[in-house]
């Protein structure tokens, strides 16, 4: 079987959709060595994050045909289709919400992964022109795909509601997390990473882009109600919202207890997770919420927000709060810190729950979707 993939995010994005794309490609390449995986990308780059992927013998990369007049975005949207036809693919998988707009001209089955429709649920987080563009591209992908993969039941419901897709066309395939989060690290290594980034001895951790949707504000307000020896480490890039959060930390009198870190290599994130006392992820809305799964695999207490998919990711192993109620977050944090809440049982359940997102199971489910798409297309 020859499977083509949209590889732009895998090659060029170091977080989010890039992590998902690399995980799919690496896992499928390793689990099915007899298959050929063709990764289409508008350009190549050098990155240590690509070392594992480039080492797989059954993975090959395709750049735009020089004879084509389409380049860059236009190539991904239109020009790529002629190459898909000539490469004799059995199936094409768009890994990041998109398919070529003329994918049907390739005359092959197609699958698209839809991660979320947050631009519809939280429109204030996006510019109007971006919302319109996403609607055009993602809506077309849902209509044109032979089958759709949703990364959670929550996302599946959103696709059905917003794009009018019949639920029978959608398969839920949960995402796994990188294997490095599952490996316990030595105390020496954990301490080396703590010193490398000048982190406090004890800290609450929040990972993710520092933007309004991720809701760092509730964590800062909860922190202000906790003892003065409790610190927060916020890992992620940010813009205007980050600056507002720095001002808020000053107003709350906790600026010296909040540590912002950015551009941390992916290889150091497992240690920062395992070194944390508690991990929080109070996002207003997510398509899946990989930091919750990473926290479970790191054997750390995790507190997440109600209202989207995070309850799927954390199961009965996490604590959940209203993302608009900082007093709920501070109450659970205080209990975990002073020992009145024992996290032992939930941490144990977390490792058990995380097995539902095992990468082997993910690969098996993807294989089922591919075979179903090929059968549907032939019919």
């Amino acid at each position: 079987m020859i499977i083509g993939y949209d590889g732009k995010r895998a090659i060029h994005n170091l977080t989010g959709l890039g992590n998902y794309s690399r995980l799919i490609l690496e896992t499928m390449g390793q689990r099915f060595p007899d298959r050929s995986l063709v990764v289409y990308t508008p350009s190549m780059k050098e990155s240590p994050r690509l070392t594992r992927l480039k080492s797989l013998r059954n993975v090959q990369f395709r750049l735009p045909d020089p004879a084509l007049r389409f380049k860059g975005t236009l190539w991904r949207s239109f020009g790529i289709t002629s190459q898909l036809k000539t490469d004799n693919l059995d199936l094409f998988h768009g890994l990041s919400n998109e398919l070529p707009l003329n994918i049907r001209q390739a005359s092959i089955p197609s699958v698209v992964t839809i991660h979320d429709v947050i631009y519809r649920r939280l429109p204030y987080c996006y510019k109007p022109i971006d919302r319109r563009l996403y609607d055009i591209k993602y809506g077309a992908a849902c209509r044109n795909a032979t089958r759709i993969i949703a990364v959670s039941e929550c996302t599946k419901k959103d696709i059905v509601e917003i794009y009018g897709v019949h639920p029978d066309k959608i398969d839920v395939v949960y995402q796994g997390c990188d294997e490095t989060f599952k490996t316990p690290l030595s105390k020496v290594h954990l301490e080396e990473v703590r010193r490398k980034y000048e982190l406090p001895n004890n800290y609450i951790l929040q990972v993710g882009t520092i933007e309004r949707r991720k809701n760092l504000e509730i964590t800062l307000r909860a922190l202000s109600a906790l003892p003065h020896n409790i610190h927060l480490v916020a890992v992620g890039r940010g813009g205007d919202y980050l600056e507002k959060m720095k001002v808020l930390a000053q107003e709350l009198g906790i600026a010296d207890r909040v540590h912002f870190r950015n551009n941390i290599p992916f290889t150091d994130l497992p240690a920062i997770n395992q070194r944390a006392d508690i991990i929080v992820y109070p996002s207003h809305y997510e398509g899946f919420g990989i930091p919750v799964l990473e926290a479970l695999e790191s054997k750390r207490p995790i507190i997440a927000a109600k209202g989207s998919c995070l309850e799927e990711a954390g199961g009965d192993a996490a604590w959940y709060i209203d993302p608009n109620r900082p007093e709920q977050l501070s109450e659970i944090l205080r209990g975990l810190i002073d020992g009145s809440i024992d996290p032992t049982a939930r941490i144990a359940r977390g490792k058990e729950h995380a097995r539902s997102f095992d990468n082997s199971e993910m690969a098996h489910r993807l294989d089922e979707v591919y075979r179903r798409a090929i059968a549907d297309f032939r019919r």
Side-chain angles (χ1 to χ4, degrees):
M1 187 182 290
I2 305 174
I3 305 172
Y5 293 90
D6 178 3
K8 178 189 174 182
R9 304 288 185 180
I11 304 303
H12 294 280
N13 288 49
L14 297 181
T15 60
L17 296 179
N19 288 339
Y20 173 84
S21 298
R22 283 185 293 274
L23 180 67
I24 295 295
L25 293 169
E26 291 166 2
T27 303
M28 297 304 284
Q30 291 167 349
R31 303 287 176 180
F32 299 97
D34 58 328
R35 294 184 183 173
S36 295
L37 277 56
V38 186
V39 182
Y40 295 84
T41 175
S43 62
M44 289 296 295
K45 67 179 290 186
E46 294 300 320
S47 169
R49 298 292 304 280
L50 298 173
T51 302
R52 196 185 310 168
L53 180 58
K54 290 181 176 180
S55 70
L56 297 175
R57 295 184 178 182
N58 58 335
V59 174
Q60 51 187 307
F61 300 90
R62 285 280 196 282
L63 294 170
D65 186 335
L68 293 173
R69 59 189 178 91
F70 293 113
K71 307 295 180 186
T73 300
L74 286 177
W75 175 75
R76 286 182 72 225
S77 297
F78 297 100
I80 190 176
T81 308
S82 61
Q83 289 184 244
L84 303 183
K85 291 181 68 173
T86 58
D87 284 345
N88 297 314
L89 300 181
D90 293 290
L91 177 138
F92 181 77
H93 185 174
L95 295 169
S96 53
N97 305 309
E98 300 178 54
L99 288 172
L101 294 174
N102 58 350
I103 185 63
R104 290 183 177 179
Q105 294 180 16
S107 301
I108 57 173
S110 61
V111 172
V112 64
T113 297
I114 300 294
H115 295 265
D116 60 68
V117 286
I118 297 171
Y119 55 93
R120 281 290 198 97
R121 295 303 188 197
L122 302 178
Y124 61 79
C125 293
Y126 300 84
K127 297 177 181 178
I129 190 170
D130 289 337
R131 296 200 305 269
R132 178 60 179 155
L133 184 62
Y134 295 155
D135 253 344
I136 292 172
K137 293 194 298 182
Y138 300 177
C142 288
R143 289 189 296 273
N144 293 331
T146 311
R147 296 204 67 79
I148 300 169
I149 291 174
V151 298
S152 67
E153 291 289 347
C154 178
T155 295
K156 179 177 179 176
K157 292 176 183 177
D158 285 345
I159 296 169
V160 171
E161 177 185 338
I162 290 171
Y163 290 121
V165 176
H166 195 286
D168 289 350
K169 184 180 176 178
I170 307 171
D171 301 285
V172 175
V173 179
Y174 286 123
Q175 175 182 351
C177 76
D178 194 278
E179 295 292 333
T180 54
F181 286 90
K182 304 176 184 181
T183 305
L185 301 171
S186 70
K187 291 182 179 180
V188 172
H189 181 68
L190 296 179
E191 181 60 17
E192 287 176 351
V193 171
R194 187 193 71 79
R195 291 180 178 177
K196 179 179 179 181
Y197 297 106
E198 299 180 341
L199 303 178
N201 285 314
N202 300 97
Y203 58 87
I204 298 162
L205 175 66
Q206 182 166 334
V207 177
T209 305
I210 301 175
E211 59 183 353
R212 183 178 173 186
R213 173 170 62 90
K214 300 292 186 180
N215 200 18
L216 182 64
E217 179 177 348
I218 191 177
T219 311
L220 295 179
R221 294 192 182 281
L223 182 68
S224 69
L226 298 177
H228 293 287
N229 63 325
I230 306 302
H231 289 244
L232 169 68
V233 173
V235 176
R237 68 182 186 278
D240 292 342
Y241 182 78
L242 170 59
E243 297 308 312
K244 291 179 181 178
M245 292 303 97
K246 289 180 178 179
V247 171
L248 178 62
Q250 289 282 356
E251 292 174 350
L252 294 172
I254 57 172
D256 59 331
R257 297 160 55 197
V258 181
H259 310 265
F260 296 100
R261 298 292 183 268
N262 189 17
N263 296 321
I264 291 180
F266 186 78
T267 50
D268 285 339
L269 286 179
I272 292 175
N273 268 259
Q274 292 182 29
R275 189 67 176 68
D277 294 308
I278 305 164
I279 298 175
V280 297
Y281 199 56
S283 177
H284 284 290
Y285 209 87
E286 293 292 331
F288 179 65
I290 193 68
V292 174
L293 182 55
E294 291 169 350
L296 298 182
E297 294 287 11
S298 300
K299 296 184 179 181
R300 307 317 303 145
I302 170 70
I303 307 171
K306 302 174 184 176
S308 59
C309 67
L310 301 183
E311 290 151 292
E312 290 180 63
D316 63 352
W319 287 265
Y320 300 99
I321 51 99
D322 182 327
N324 300 303
R325 299 282 299 278
E327 69 276 9
Q328 289 185 2
L329 179 57
S330 62
E331 181 181 355
I332 298 173
L333 286 169
R334 186 180 295 107
L336 289 168
I337 290 165
D338 66 21
S340 59
I341 296 177
D342 184 357
T344 306
R346 294 205 191 201
I347 289 174
R349 291 202 298 271
K351 288 297 289 185
E352 182 66 27
H353 179 70
R355 292 180 184 176
S356 304
F357 310 97
D358 182 78
N359 289 337
S360 296
E361 176 63 17
M362 179 185 70
H364 172 70
R365 292 281 293 119
L366 282 172
D367 180 57
E368 288 183 336
V369 174
Y370 291 168
R371 294 184 184 278
R372 191 175 297 132
I374 292 171
D376 288 351
F377 186 81
R378 287 173 179 167
R379 285 195 292 270

